[in-house]
């Protein structure tokens, strides 16, 4: 389904109504429309246009330059944590690294850091429960205004950061509009912050439950790259993609999906398919080949995959090198899984550092 041309992501195209930002029959408020119209929601050719522009800001060199900073951040946070015995590792470590990395990538100033951190929570936690009304009517507008102010400052005083690169990105004479820049920042926050935070959290739990894997990684640190790929497969945070819509009647494995019907490809299920992976429910940090779909597939393959891999590898390696006997502070079945469709993430991750 991820590559089948009989499906598309944008419902309006599937139902023959033409390209539009939202599938709803009425206009959305501006800041919601900016979020709804981001690159991840688009089909080609608009998706390709935006991706061509953004690719220039995510070169291998740009990600490589960040690794030293991620290493420093990780060690700094661990220095602060280790006088304590029991901590919520998701909040104190898993959240802190991608928050700081995204902020520095975007060139967020010290004065903007507090409202920016609030904006992160708005974009990643504000669309569930009763708080969604406040998010839509107030918080999202304030967050969008903060981003617009950041864009304006970078236009006046460019820096060595991703936001400046996005502003200056050009492909065949085309540039991102202000709304597209705001949407791209929103996307970076949602895709580059929340997913990495929960990948770190899920991985810590998995490794805490497999001390033999931790012992081997300490003896053979060259296995960390392979381990991260296996953790993405075995306990990745994203279990489903955006909805896809049938452009025509489609029959798959004897089941007919009628034209216009929506389906959600389940990456979590695909990553445990016994036809592809031997003993799929086992964690094997040496698994090879490992054709998992943790970052999707095809034209929508995650743009920040290399950054997420690097942040997770550095975070996990440093954590377990300094705390080789780290364990969960509660029984695994006592950990709360947040009931968000398409996600596998914990509400908290209490651990004992040792």
């Amino acid at each position: 389904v991820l590559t089948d041309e009989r499906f598309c992501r944008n419902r309006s195209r599937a139902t023959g109504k033409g390209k539009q930002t939202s599938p709803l029959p009425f206009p959305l408020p501006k800041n919601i429309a900016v979020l709804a119209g981001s690159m991840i929601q688009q089909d080609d050719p608009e998706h390709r246009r935006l991706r061509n522009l953004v690719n220039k800001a995510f070169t291998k060199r740009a990600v490589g330059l960040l690794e030293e900073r991620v290493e420093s951040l990780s060690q700094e946070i661990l220095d602060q944590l280790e006088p304590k015995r029991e901590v919520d590792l998701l909040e104190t470590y898993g959240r802190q690294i991608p928050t700081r990395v995204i902020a520095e990538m975007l060139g967020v100033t010290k004065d903007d850091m507090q409202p920016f951190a609030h904006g992160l929570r708005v974009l990643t936690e504000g669309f569930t429960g009763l708080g969604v009304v406040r998010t839509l009517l107030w918080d999202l507008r304030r967050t969008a205004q903060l981003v617009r102010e950041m864009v304006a400052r970078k236009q006046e005083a460019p820096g060595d950061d991703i936001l400046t690169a996005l502003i200056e990105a050009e492909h065949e004479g085309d540039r991102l509009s202000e709304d597209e820049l705001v949407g791209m920042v929103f996307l970076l926050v949602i895709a580059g912050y929340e997913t990495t935070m929960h990948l770190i959290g899920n991985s810590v739990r998995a490794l805490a439950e497999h001390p033999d894997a931790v012992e081997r990684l300490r003896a053979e640190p060259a296995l960390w790259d392979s381990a991260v790929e296996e953790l993405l497969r075995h306990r990745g945070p994203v279990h489903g993609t955006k909805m896809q819509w049938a452009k025509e009647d489609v029959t798959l494995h004897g089941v007919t999906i009628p034209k216009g019907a929506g389906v959600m490809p389940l990456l979590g299920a695909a990553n445990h398919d016994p036809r592809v992976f031997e003993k799929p429910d086992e964690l094997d940090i040496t698994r090879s080949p490992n054709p998992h779909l943790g970052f999707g597939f095809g034209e929508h393959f995650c743009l920040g995959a290399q950054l997420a891999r690097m942040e997770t590898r550095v975070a996990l390696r440093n954590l377990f090198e300094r705390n080789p006997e780290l364990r969960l502070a509660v029984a695994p079945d006592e950990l709360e899984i947040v009931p968000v469709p398409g996600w596998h993430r914990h509400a908290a991750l209490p651990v004992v550092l040792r």
Side-chain angles (χ1 to χ4, degrees), residues 4-11 13-16 43 244-250 257-261:
D4 195 325
E5 292 184 356
R6 295 172 294 177
F7 293 89
C8 68
R9 285 177 169 264
N10 186 314
R11 183 175 187 174
R13 293 183 66 186
T15 55
D43 294 323
Q244 308 274 33
W245 307 91
K247 296 189 289 186
E248 59 188 68
D249 289 350
V250 179
I257 302 168
K259 178 181 178 180

Side-chain angles (χ1 to χ4, degrees), residues 30-32 34 119 122-123 138-151 178 182 186:
K30 182 174 182 179
N31 293 318
I32 301 174
V34 167
V122 166
L123 291 173
W138 178 250
D139 288 336
L140 188 58
R141 182 174 60 181
R142 291 182 62 192
T143 302
Q145 183 57 36
L146 171 64
V147 174
R148 292 181 193 279
E149 291 170 0
M150 288 167 51
V151 168
E178 181 182 286
V182 174
F186 283 180

Side-chain angles (χ1 to χ4, degrees), residues 63-75 310 314:
V63 173
L65 291 173
L66 282 169
E67 183 163 356
E68 185 176 341
R69 180 58 183 144
V70 174
E71 177 75 32
S72 175
L73 280 173
S74 168
Q75 298 289 5
M310 180 270 287
V314 171

Side-chain angles (χ1 to χ4, degrees), residues 12-299:
S12 63
R13 293 183 66 186
T15 55
K17 296 179 181 177
K19 179 179 173 293
Q20 59 185 52
T21 302
S22 166
L24 298 175
F26 49 82
L28 292 170
K30 182 174 182 179
N31 293 318
I32 301 174
V34 167
L35 182 59
S38 67
M39 182 176 69
I40 198 172
Q41 304 284 1
Q42 299 292 341
D43 294 323
D44 284 343
E46 185 64 11
H47 168 264
R48 177 50 51 190
R49 169 187 165 263
L50 293 171
R51 195 174 181 104
N52 283 339
L53 286 164
V54 177
N55 273 335
K56 298 179 182 299
F58 279 86
T59 63
K60 188 173 182 179
R61 175 181 174 275
V63 173
L65 291 173
L66 282 169
E67 183 163 356
E68 185 176 341
R69 180 58 183 144
V70 174
E71 177 75 32
S72 175
L73 280 173
S74 168
Q75 298 289 5
E76 177 185 325
I77 296 168
L78 288 171
D79 286 343
Q80 296 168 356
L81 288 183
E82 288 181 1
K84 305 173 185 177
R85 179 172 173 80
E86 183 176 327
V87 299
D88 174 4
L89 202 78
L90 191 62
E91 181 67 29
T92 59
Y93 191 62
R95 182 188 297 276
Q96 300 307 315
I97 291 175
T99 297
R100 299 271 291 274
V101 169
I102 287 291
E104 292 187 15
M105 284 174 63
L106 295 173
V108 177
T109 65
K110 288 184 178 180
D111 290 340
D112 283 340
M113 191 60 207
Q114 185 173 348
F116 180 77
H118 175 72
L120 291 179
R121 288 185 178 268
V122 166
L123 291 173
T124 59
E125 300 173 11
F127 292 94
T128 57
L130 297 177
V132 69
V133 175
R134 175 184 170 87
T135 297
L136 294 176
L137 297 180
W138 178 250
D139 288 336
L140 188 58
R141 182 174 60 181
R142 291 182 62 192
T143 302
Q145 183 57 36
L146 171 64
V147 174
R148 292 181 193 279
E149 291 170 0
M150 288 167 51
V151 168
R153 286 199 295 270
K154 291 297 177 183
Q155 288 172 330
E156 291 292 326
D160 185 17
D161 51 66
I162 292 284
L163 183 53
T164 297
L166 289 173
I167 291 169
E168 295 177 349
E170 184 174 340
H171 180 71
E172 297 180 353
D174 187 21
R175 291 197 174 205
L176 295 169
S177 68
E178 181 182 286
D179 282 352
E180 287 169 339
L181 284 166
V182 174
M184 200 62 66
V185 172
F186 283 180
L187 178 58
L188 286 174
V189 168
I190 294 170
Y193 155 73
E194 189 175 28
T195 52
T196 304
M197 167 185 171
H198 291 292
L199 175 57
I200 292 171
N202 292 358
S203 298
V204 170
R205 174 180 173 175
L207 290 173
E209 294 174 329
H210 294 83
D212 55 326
V214 174
E215 183 177 348
R216 183 162 185 186
L217 284 164
R218 296 192 74 228
E220 301 177 62
L223 288 176
W224 270 113
D225 284 334
S226 172
V228 169
E229 295 305 308
E230 175 67 348
L231 290 162
L232 278 158
R233 182 200 69 83
H234 184 264
R235 204 73 66 90
V238 181
H239 278 195
T241 74
K242 301 296 181 183
M243 293 292 288
Q244 308 274 33
W245 307 91
K247 296 189 289 186
E248 59 188 68
D249 289 350
V250 179
T251 300
L252 294 174
H253 305 288
V255 176
T256 298
I257 302 168
K259 178 181 178 180
V263 297
M264 177 184 284
L266 297 179
L267 307 183
N271 284 340
H272 286 76
D273 187 343
R275 296 169 298 180
V276 179
F277 303 100
E278 184 179 354
K279 299 179 180 178
D281 293 333
E282 293 187 8
L283 181 74
D284 178 3
I285 61 172
T286 65
R287 189 181 296 274
S288 180
N290 192 348
H292 66 79
L293 298 179
F295 291 116
F297 189 79
E299 65 188 29

